[in-house]
Amino acid sequence: MTNERVRIRSLTFALIALALVSLNARAQEAADTFLSDLHTFRISNYIALDAFYRYSGTQDPAILQDVVNGINAANDAMNTVAKATNGVLSKDAVEDLNQEFDKFKALMRDNINVNRKQGYPDLRLMSDMANQALTMSDKATELYKQAQDSAQLKTDDRVEAARMAAVKMAQMMAKYSARTNSSNAQTFQGAADEKALDQQAKEFDGFLEQLGRGRDIPALKDTIDEIRSKWEFIRGSYINYNQNNVSFVIDRYSKGILSALNTAIDLLQQSQKS
């Protein structure tokens, strides 16, 4: 009888331990998904901003749809974040970010309406939107770090490098587009407190170097080589801005880098599960 009780007690403890491990794994997965949605939110807003700058210089309805797509992607990510805090962040903190996003969307709407009405952008209004995009991105980055600390989630260093590289590329792409597509490029160059393009490009160099460290994963190596190849092609244009550069090529290659960075993140996360 005593041995039977010991076996039952041992089995109970084992089941409890297994349940705790399972709960912890699910909590970690939920927290990582939360971080992924915050990352998508940051990227999507800068993609929308880049598209708006291109639209302001061309008045092309097809480009306007790119603005809508970027805002919709950011909106979906924000809604997911708001519904799935899971104790990772307070509702007030998420609501603060949501309010900053509402301000950005309102400014985007106003800028589009002004462009439609007068055929060219309002510099003050466009500057307000650029500054709001930077404020909102900084807030999202702050919450991203808070979520990591709250969930005690240690994200893979290379995943973090890829995400930071993607945010930096999206910011550079939007800033470059602001200078290229504005008829007042000498007076409007994006957010007032944003770093210069050459500084951001050098930061991107650092993130790309971090991404290249670590054990080799065949598909990942090919993806990083693709990123490096594209970056080498356009890096000089970001370091030494020149109005004679072909802007649509810079935009296309920048988006190709963003797509490849997303692939790198997926490959890294898959390798961790295998």
Side-chain angles (χ1 to χ4, degrees), residues 88-156:
V88 177
L89 288 174
S90 71
K91 289 185 178 180
D92 288 344
V94 174
E95 181 54 30
D96 285 345
L97 179 60
N98 202 9
Q99 288 178 8
E100 297 295 343
F101 183 41
D102 285 343
K103 292 176 187 176
F104 177 71
K105 287 187 290 185
L107 284 165
M108 179 67 80
R109 186 166 51 249
D110 291 345
N111 272 278
I112 290 171
N113 289 337
V114 167
N115 267 267
R116 280 174 164 169
K117 184 176 180 180
Q118 62 187 28
Y120 56 90
D122 179 305
L123 280 181
R124 180 196 59 77
L125 199 58
M126 194 158 60
S127 180
D128 287 346
M129 180 172 64
N131 290 332
Q132 180 59 28
L134 183 59
T135 297
M136 182 175 59
S137 180
D138 287 346
K139 180 68 175 177
T141 299
E142 177 187 333
L143 294 185
Y144 184 98
K145 292 176 181 177
Q146 287 180 15
Q148 282 182 308
D149 293 340
S150 174
Q152 296 183 332
L153 180 64
K154 173 59 177 173
T155 312
D156 180 83

Side-chain angles (χ1 to χ4, degrees), residues 5-15:
R5 286 177 178 175
V6 169
R7 282 197 296 272
I8 291 173
R9 185 177 300 170
S10 298
L11 179 59
T12 302
F13 285 152
L15 290 172

Side-chain angles (χ1 to χ4, degrees), residues 183-255:
S183 59
N184 299 282
Q186 294 303 315
T187 56
F188 182 73
Q189 299 183 14
D193 295 331
E194 203 167 28
K195 292 180 181 178
L197 276 172
D198 59 337
Q199 290 179 278
Q200 294 190 53
K202 290 171 184 176
E203 289 179 357
F204 183 86
D205 286 337
F207 296 140
L208 188 53
E209 182 185 349
Q210 292 174 42
L211 177 59
R213 297 173 187 165
R215 68 184 180 91
D216 282 339
I217 303 170
L220 178 63
K221 183 181 182 302
D222 291 342
T223 301
I224 294 174
D225 286 344
E226 177 189 348
I227 295 168
R228 284 174 174 156
S229 177
K230 284 182 167 63
W231 177 233
E232 284 177 13
F233 188 78
I234 62 174
R235 184 180 184 274
S237 297
Y238 279 117
I239 294 287
N240 298 301
Y241 176 82
N242 188 323
Q243 286 184 323
N244 294 324
N245 290 333
V246 184
S247 60
F248 78 85
V249 173
I250 309 301
D251 192 74
R252 186 180 68 187
Y253 272 70
S254 297
K255 286 175 179 170

Side-chain angles (χ1 to χ4, degrees), residues 149-170:
D149 293 340
S150 174
Q152 296 183 332
L153 180 64
K154 173 59 177 173
T155 312
D156 180 83
D157 289 342
R158 297 171 83 184
V159 169
E160 282 301 298
R163 283 177 175 170
M164 289 187 289
V167 172
K168 189 57 60 181
M169 177 54 66

